[in-house]
Amino acid sequence: MKLIQNRRTFLSGLSAIGGAGLLNVRPSSAAGEPALETTTLGQWVGGAYCWASIYLAGELLRADGFTDIQYVEGDTHIDNSKWLSAGLIDFDMNMPSMHIRSIDAGVPVKVLIGVHSGCFELIGNDSVRSIRDLRGKRVGGGSVESHPHILTALMANYVGLDPMHDIEWVEGEQAPMQMFIDGKVDAYMAGPPELQILHARKIGHTIVNNGTDRPWSQYFCCMVAGNADYVSRYPVATKRVLRAILKSADLCASDPSLAAQQLVDRGFLPNYDEALGTLNGAQHDKWRVFDAEDSVRFYALRMQETGMIKSSPQQILANGTDWRFLEELKRELKA
């Protein structure tokens, strides 16, 4: 884990005022809103291409009065609940399953908004044509604690497989994509930019796309959670953070080419074509359509069925969600 200096947030990008103009929003202080309770903000990044809205939100946050914006960098597949609970980060974008697991473990976090769908595809070789074909197959997905593994297991369980006994899970020192290319696994859950690389090289085929295939396509694949103490103590700041993320999501949906270029120019992502391919696949307009509570309920039920969590969906929702900001922002942004 390491802190990225603020200068990276705005590297070679627009000025704070220019970024705010680009996203069609003015500083909240000029709109007669309450003053920020804090001007400090910590967020987690890990080079994930589908987290564009968090990266791009920096300009809006600066325009909105935040003066100390820090990004904590780490592996995109790790469990970062300890960072949230310790206050090392204040907000985190992650899969619903990862947030739910944290809530079930008693980590003081609140899921606040859903952002988009369509990050992952289950990729298989010629021996795997459906999820049921995973029975007896070698499946890679990172560590058993990672969200690609969890999502694959949930999909398998949904069609009647026993993820623990019917699938041979393969972990190794190599990256899952390379293991798939080398024939060491028959399938694995791929996310961007691996998807773009595999498709371009015509390696493997898509078994399930969580952006187009039901039921997974009907729910958020990335949601934002906040440290419960930060959310409780700083409601004004929390709302502005979430608004900046959703405004940035609107840009990703309406002008993905511009958003992709900004991500590269500001130093968050290295490759424009892969960034653009990710934004074209991830559906950033879904925050206006999907029911965030329903997404948490769906994943919590699936995880309870597989024994991944002990809490019921109702307990997860009661203990780990707060939708008041989302309802306000939907009215304000006319969702």
Side-chain angles (χ1 to χ4, degrees):
M1 174 181 71
K2 63 179 179 180
L3 289 177
I4 303 174
Q5 298 300 318
N6 288 355
R7 62 184 175 82
R8 172 171 169 179
T9 311
F10 313 107
L11 179 64
S12 301
L14 301 177
S15 67
I17 294 177
L22 174 67
L23 295 174
N24 191 29
V25 68
R26 56 181 175 171
S28 297
S29 58
E33 291 189 353
L36 286 171
E37 309 96 338
T38 179
T39 58
T40 299
L41 170 67
Q43 299 187 92
W44 180 49
V45 300
Y49 278 66
C50 57
W51 295 346
S53 57
I54 278 189
Y55 304 155
L56 295 176
E59 301 292 352
L60 294 178
L61 294 170
R62 293 279 289 188
D64 243 353
F66 287 91
T67 58
D68 184 9
I69 304 171
Q70 296 182 333
Y71 287 83
V72 178
E73 185 176 57
D75 189 322
T76 60
H77 293 165
I78 69 168
D79 179 0
N80 56 342
S81 60
K82 293 181 179 180
W83 300 2
L84 271 172
S85 61
L88 294 174
I89 54 176
D90 302 308
F91 295 91
D92 164 41
M93 183 182 286
N94 218 322
M95 288 284 293
S97 55
M98 302 299 278
H99 294 316
I100 291 167
R101 190 171 62 177
S102 295
I103 297 166
D104 181 63
V107 178
V109 301
K110 296 291 184 181
V111 182
L112 304 168
I113 59 172
V115 180
H116 65 261
S117 68
C119 287
F120 290 96
E121 294 180 22
L122 182 62
I123 302 294
N125 60 24
D126 290 341
S127 71
V128 183
R129 292 294 174 179
S130 70
I131 298 177
R132 289 185 176 87
D133 290 339
L134 294 179
R135 186 188 302 274
K137 296 299 192 299
R138 302 162 301 165
V139 178
S143 73
V144 295
E145 299 297 318
S146 68
H147 54 77
H149 172 91
I150 291 174
L151 182 57
T152 307
L154 294 178
M155 288 182 174
N157 182 76
Y158 192 78
V159 299
L161 297 182
D162 181 340
M164 182 173 296
H165 298 101
D166 290 340
I167 296 174
E168 180 184 347
W169 298 100
V170 179
E171 297 182 70
E173 296 182 358
Q174 282 184 299
M177 182 178 74
Q178 192 59 50
M179 293 177 68
F180 179 73
I181 293 174
D182 293 344
K184 297 179 180 179
V185 296
D186 301 301
Y188 90 106
M189 188 67 68
E194 296 174 355
L195 285 174
Q196 287 70 37
I197 296 172
L198 292 173
H199 291 328
R201 296 172 62 181
K202 296 180 169 40
I203 298 174
H205 62 272
T206 300
I207 303 168
V208 180
N209 182 326
N210 79 332
T212 59
D213 296 325
R214 292 173 178 264
W216 314 99
S217 61
Q218 305 304 298
Y219 305 99
F220 287 112
C221 74
C222 283
M223 305 185 77
V224 174
N227 174 287
D229 182 62
Y230 189 103
V231 172
S232 176
R233 292 174 60 191
Y234 310 132
V236 175
T238 297
K239 180 180 176 181
R240 294 192 196 177
V241 170
L242 299 178
R243 178 169 56 198
I245 293 172
L246 293 179
K247 292 288 290 185
S248 297
D250 283 344
L251 174 65
C252 292
S254 63
D255 197 339
S257 59
L258 175 59
Q261 191 61 58
Q262 287 298 308
L263 290 169
V264 174
D265 287 348
R266 298 180 196 183
F268 283 113
L269 300 177
N271 186 290
Y272 170 80
D273 290 334
E274 292 171 0
L276 179 60
T278 300
L279 293 177
N280 284 332
Q283 303 165 37
H284 281 85
D285 58 342
K286 294 303 183 183
W287 77 264
R288 295 177 172 273
V289 180
F290 285 175
D291 185 326
E293 181 174 313
D294 198 32
S295 291
V296 173
R297 183 182 295 108
F298 173 82
Y299 274 97
L301 180 57
R302 305 282 82 77
M303 295 177 74
Q304 184 186 37
E305 290 173 346
T306 60
M308 293 182 183
I309 62 172
K310 296 180 180 179
S311 303
S312 69
Q314 292 76 16
Q315 291 171 318
I316 293 295
L317 288 166
N319 296 332
T321 65
D322 186 343
W323 309 123
R324 55 185 166 141
F325 303 102
L326 178 59
E327 295 306 316
E328 292 179 12
L329 290 169
K330 280 188 172 183
R331 290 191 296 269
E332 180 180 323
L333 300 176
K334 296 179 173 57

